[in-house]
Amino acid sequence: MDQIVNVNEFQELAKRALPKMYYDFYSGGAEDQHTLKDNVEAFTRILFRPRVLVDVSKIDMSTRILGYPISAPIMIAPTAMHMLAHPQGETATAKAAAACNTIMIVSYMASCTIEEVASSCNAVRFLQIYVYKRRDVTAQMVKRAEKAGFKAIVMTVDVPKLGRREADIKNKMVSPQLRNFEGLISTKVIPSEGSGVEALAASTFDASLTWKDIEWLRSITKLPIMVKGILTREDALKAVEAGVDGIVVSNHGARQLDYSPATITVLEEIVHAVGGRIPVLLDGGVRRGTDVFKALALGAQAVLIGRPVVYGLAAKGEDGVRKVIEMLQSELELTMALSGCPTIDDITRNHVKTENERLHSML
């Protein structure tokens, strides 16, 4: 791993390590994959306004999310079926998160059980959920997460139906039986045509889900509830009205609606709408410590890392995941030093210039 100098290089290693079906499943986006590219490229259109002659001999990247301390504002996003990437699956990812003193959001569609992840190491963890047509299945998962010591529920709200992921359709992507659901529902789908993951989603996900269902979720758990999948100020305001404890600005890694905006481009609109009442996190396209800094400058409290974590896991297991997080942390530390920001609180809106501002200044 000595030759790996940035997070992007793990993608090529993962491509070599994984069967094509699984690599395509992790790496692919919806339809023309416009949003997939733009999630990453939108960061390149934001420039820094670095400040100099500031004492940056000590850099403190630590912060808190829902009151829980983390070493840096870089968390692990919920991504499905880690055992397709590595035999140890989510337990390896969880150990890496714990070693880096950060929070992992465990996917509802994890290969390992909630209990296996919880017992693998001592750490703060959140559970991401989908609401199934069979509410008893979702309710049982939430109860198990509570019992296993998970600290928050992250409800994904942008999947009334699964986005059209054409690589999975071509590959006839197999959906394995997930151990969390054994004895409850079958998740194993081997498609004669099309994607097994899509077939599973069509049979289980509840397309009738509305804002009222946050009340239902609140009625079955005392844990804080965050909603993931917000892309507009209108929905951000509705989320605040619904009494959620946090928002994740996300387009589902560009896997749902192609031509939805890159998340970094709508972050500020959502931050303004929320007005500091609840934390706003950013998911999508983060590949560098500079990206993390830009998200923080535009008002995010932390970012979530999805694909790079899976690529690190596929390439080098637990060590690979740890290396991905550590690389991003050390790049963020350097960016803070070179921008004149000794602490996270020192990062302000004045430290970045967006494309719109640059265009406006030319007029």
Side-chain angles (χ1 to χ4, degrees):
M1 264 198 296
D2 297 343
Q3 298 88 339
I4 298 171
V5 295
N6 65 56
V7 162
N8 289 313
E9 293 179 356
F10 277 104
Q11 183 166 354
E12 187 52 44
L13 294 180
K15 191 174 185 178
R16 282 185 238 154
L18 291 170
K20 183 177 187 301
M21 179 189 285
Y22 296 163
Y23 174 77
D24 287 353
F25 169 69
Y26 289 130
S27 66
E31 297 186 355
D32 297 324
Q33 304 193 119
H34 167 81
T35 301
L36 183 69
K37 296 181 201 87
D38 204 40
N39 260 359
V40 174
E41 287 171 7
F43 280 101
T44 69
R45 301 192 285 270
I46 301 168
L47 301 182
F48 291 126
R49 300 183 71 248
R51 306 302 301 273
V52 297
L53 294 176
V54 178
D55 180 355
V56 289
S57 55
K58 290 190 180 67
I59 299 284
D60 181 5
M61 296 186 291
S62 66
T63 188
R64 286 177 177 268
I65 299 297
L66 298 184
Y68 297 104
I70 51 177
S71 58
I74 301 166
M75 295 163 52
I76 294 185
T79 46
M81 301 188 267
H82 286 198
M83 272 188 178
L84 301 184
H86 190 274
Q88 290 170 345
E90 286 78 9
T91 59
T93 311
K95 286 175 186 170
C100 294
N101 189 17
T102 193
I103 294 168
M104 174 184 180
I105 305 176
V106 179
S107 171
Y108 195 71
M109 310 299 281
S111 312
C112 300
T113 66
I114 288 170
E115 293 78 12
E116 284 167 341
V117 176
S119 61
S120 67
C121 56
N122 189 25
V124 173
R125 272 178 290 271
F126 299 168
L127 177 71
Q128 175 260 339
I129 63 159
Y130 294 108
V131 177
Y132 274 5
K133 290 172 186 170
R134 275 189 57 189
R135 295 296 170 90
D136 60 309
V137 173
T138 300
Q140 199 175 117
M141 287 279 279
V142 170
K143 293 273 191 293
R144 282 167 58 192
E146 270 187 341
K147 195 173 170 193
F150 283 63
K151 301 299 185 194
I153 300 296
V154 180
M155 177 181 174
T156 293
V157 293
D158 58 0
V159 192
K161 293 180 182 294
L162 202 71
R164 185 174 171 81
R165 303 164 194 177
E166 293 176 0
D168 292 349
I169 295 167
K170 275 186 181 159
N171 293 334
K172 296 182 181 173
M173 174 67 191
V174 172
S175 174
Q177 177 60 37
L178 299 173
R179 299 218 298 276
N180 270 316
F181 301 108
E182 271 171 12
L184 289 170
I185 53 170
S186 171
T187 62
K188 189 176 174 95
V189 182
I190 301 171
S192 56
E193 56 184 65
S195 157
V197 177
E198 194 176 335
L200 171 65
S203 65
T204 54
F205 289 11
D206 188 353
S208 74
L209 200 65
T210 70
W211 289 103
K212 290 194 198 78
D213 293 297
I214 289 170
E215 290 169 34
W216 166 77
L217 185 57
R218 179 79 66 210
S219 76
I220 63 164
T221 183
K222 297 202 165 42
L223 292 177
I225 295 166
M226 303 184 83
V227 290
K228 177 176 177 284
I230 303 290
L231 289 172
T232 62
R233 65 181 301 281
E234 293 90 338
D235 280 345
L237 289 169
K238 284 194 166 179
V240 172
E241 281 164 27
V244 303
D245 300 284
I247 285 173
V248 182
V249 178
S250 173
N251 53 32
H252 213 99
R255 294 161 77 78
Q256 280 300 99
L257 178 64
D258 201 16
Y259 296 93
S260 57
T263 47
I264 192 67
T265 66
V266 293
L267 171 62
E268 198 167 23
E269 164 188 332
I270 288 162
V271 167
H272 284 164
V274 168
R277 288 171 284 184
I278 52 174
V280 176
L281 278 57
L282 177 103
D283 167 61
V286 174
R287 300 292 183 271
R288 286 278 188 184
T290 48
D291 298 340
V292 181
F293 185 100
K294 289 169 185 179
L296 298 175
L298 293 173
Q301 287 212 344
V303 301
L304 307 186
I305 309 298
R307 286 185 180 88
V309 164
V310 174
Y311 297 148
L313 181 67
K316 302 285 180 182
E318 182 189 330
D319 289 344
V321 177
R322 200 165 68 238
K323 184 83 169 166
V324 163
I325 301 166
E326 286 170 352
M327 275 181 163
L328 291 171
Q329 287 179 342
S330 83
E331 286 177 5
L332 174 61
E333 187 175 21
L334 181 59
T335 306
M336 287 171 67
L338 296 178
S339 297
C341 298
T343 73
I344 295 296
D345 288 342
D346 292 315
I347 301 171
T348 70
R349 183 61 179 80
N350 279 332
H351 285 97
V352 293
K353 197 167 200 177
T354 61
E355 185 180 32
N356 282 346
E357 287 169 319
R358 294 205 311 280
L359 293 172
H360 196 67
S361 64
M362 288 177 199
L363 295 175

